[in-house]
Amino acid sequence: MLALLSSIAHSRLGRLDLGQQWAMVALSRARVQGDRRLELRALNVCGAIALERGGIDDATYFFTRAQEEATEDNDMATAGRCANNLGIIANMQGDYRRAIGAYTRAIDAYQKVGYDRGIVESQHNLAITYREQGQLDHAMYAANEALGAAERLGDRGLRAQALAGLAEIQVARGEADLAIQEAERALAVHRELQDEVLETEDQRILAVAVGLAGKTREAEGLLREVIDRATKHERPLLVANAQRDLANMLALAGDGAGAKQVAQAARATFERLGARVEIDKLDALLAMRTPGAGPLAVSNQGAARRVPDVSVRGRKEAR
């Protein structure tokens, strides 16, 4: 258990190599000792770390195996964690129906064992899926449910995550001032909790909101800082998300060459991760014409595309 907790702590601090090493130690020791519950949780953590590093196939393998075995053992907390994390993968792949089904199964599993934190995490992820489909009223409802539950639990970290989720919905609704306010509140809490990875994700959301408010230069600086920090923390999805946001901002500002360069880098990562929806969005951006720059055409030959317990932000992974 100490090895597993060490794995989770290292991962949340951005030290994914150490996180993976300790997760494998925990998995090995649990098997030697015949501790099934700990073995299944270690499998889930291995999957969460693989997903953070961009290994979507490995993550799917770990989550699926752990979910099947946890269901057989009636370990509903672990089954819920795995369902939540499989929902994150489905969402990345643009399979929103499968994602919603997975999050719903996770919530049902958590309710059976009274794991309120897990319910909040999956509600947060449901809000993301609704937002990405443009169902903003459903997204706002789910996000407010997550925020209210986090406040009742008195969990500041969960509350900050829910605030960040609300900020992204407000960006989608064009409510720049409200989005800035919520993103700044989330960032302040994560900074106080010394959660550098989630602080960086909050800064990405804040940058997009600041850009929406018309402060393009400030937003660009924030996004470039996010890219640097996320690269340091080995978070390829967060790097690609920030690059996508920066590419959109540069294209709107008329910097076609800069937008193309950043968009191509993001597209290569999304392709490796299998994030089909994001690839389509970038292809649409790269096909656009910007003033004086011509089409932002790109070849399709680029590199291929908080999970509970560790957690992929904005999605909340269960560990």
Side-chain angles (χ1 to χ4, degrees), residues 47-229:
I49 294 172
L51 185 55
E52 291 278 11
R53 301 182 74 172
I56 196 167
D57 291 338
D58 288 342
T60 301
Y61 166 78
F62 281 122
F63 294 146
T64 302
R65 180 177 167 190
Q67 180 179 238
E68 290 172 352
E69 295 187 22
T71 302
E72 289 178 6
D73 291 355
N74 201 33
D75 180 353
M76 301 313 294
T78 299
R81 290 186 180 101
C82 296
N84 179 85
N85 295 342
L86 287 168
I88 291 171
I89 292 174
N91 192 89
M92 288 172 61
Q93 294 173 331
D95 191 342
Y96 297 128
R97 179 175 294 183
R98 183 159 58 94
I100 290 172
Y103 295 142
T104 302
R105 287 193 300 276
I107 291 170
D108 182 60
Y110 289 144
Q111 287 174 336
K112 289 178 180 176
V113 291
Y115 185 45
D116 293 334
R117 179 185 178 87
I119 294 171
V120 175
E121 291 171 346
S122 293
Q123 283 282 2
H124 169 77
N125 289 338
L126 266 176
I128 291 172
T129 297
Y130 285 132
R131 172 177 57 77
E132 292 187 358
Q133 293 180 90
Q135 298 179 19
L136 299 185
D137 289 341
H138 288 303
M140 186 62 77
Y141 177 82
N144 279 320
E145 286 288 298
L147 177 60
E151 289 176 340
R152 288 192 294 274
L153 287 173
D155 189 314
R156 296 178 65 217
L158 274 183
R159 182 175 182 275
Q161 177 118 352
L163 287 171
L166 278 173
E168 287 206 275
I169 298 167
Q170 287 156 349
V171 165
R173 292 169 61 155
E175 300 168 347
D177 291 341
L178 286 174
I180 290 171
Q181 178 182 321
E182 302 294 24
E184 286 179 337
R185 291 168 67 192
L187 191 150
V189 173
H190 284 134
R191 182 171 291 161
E192 186 178 339
L193 295 175
Q194 298 183 353
D195 192 326
E196 294 183 8
V197 174
L198 295 188
E199 179 187 336
T200 304
E201 170 65 20
D202 295 336
Q203 185 173 321
R204 181 193 68 79
I205 298 168
L206 176 61
V208 176
V210 168
L212 183 64
K215 301 175 183 177
T216 306
R217 183 169 297 181
E218 180 183 346
E220 180 182 341
L222 288 170
L223 285 172
R224 292 192 185 279
E225 185 178 341
V226 168
I227 292 167
D228 289 343
R229 294 180 65 182

Side-chain angles (χ1 to χ4, degrees), residues 18-40:
L18 285 171
Q20 183 181 42
Q21 291 174 24
W22 281 110
M24 295 307 295
V25 169
L27 181 60
S28 175
R29 292 296 299 165
R31 284 173 173 166
V32 168
Q33 296 179 2
D35 189 332
R36 283 281 292 170
R37 188 173 293 267
L38 189 57
E39 177 187 349
L40 295 177

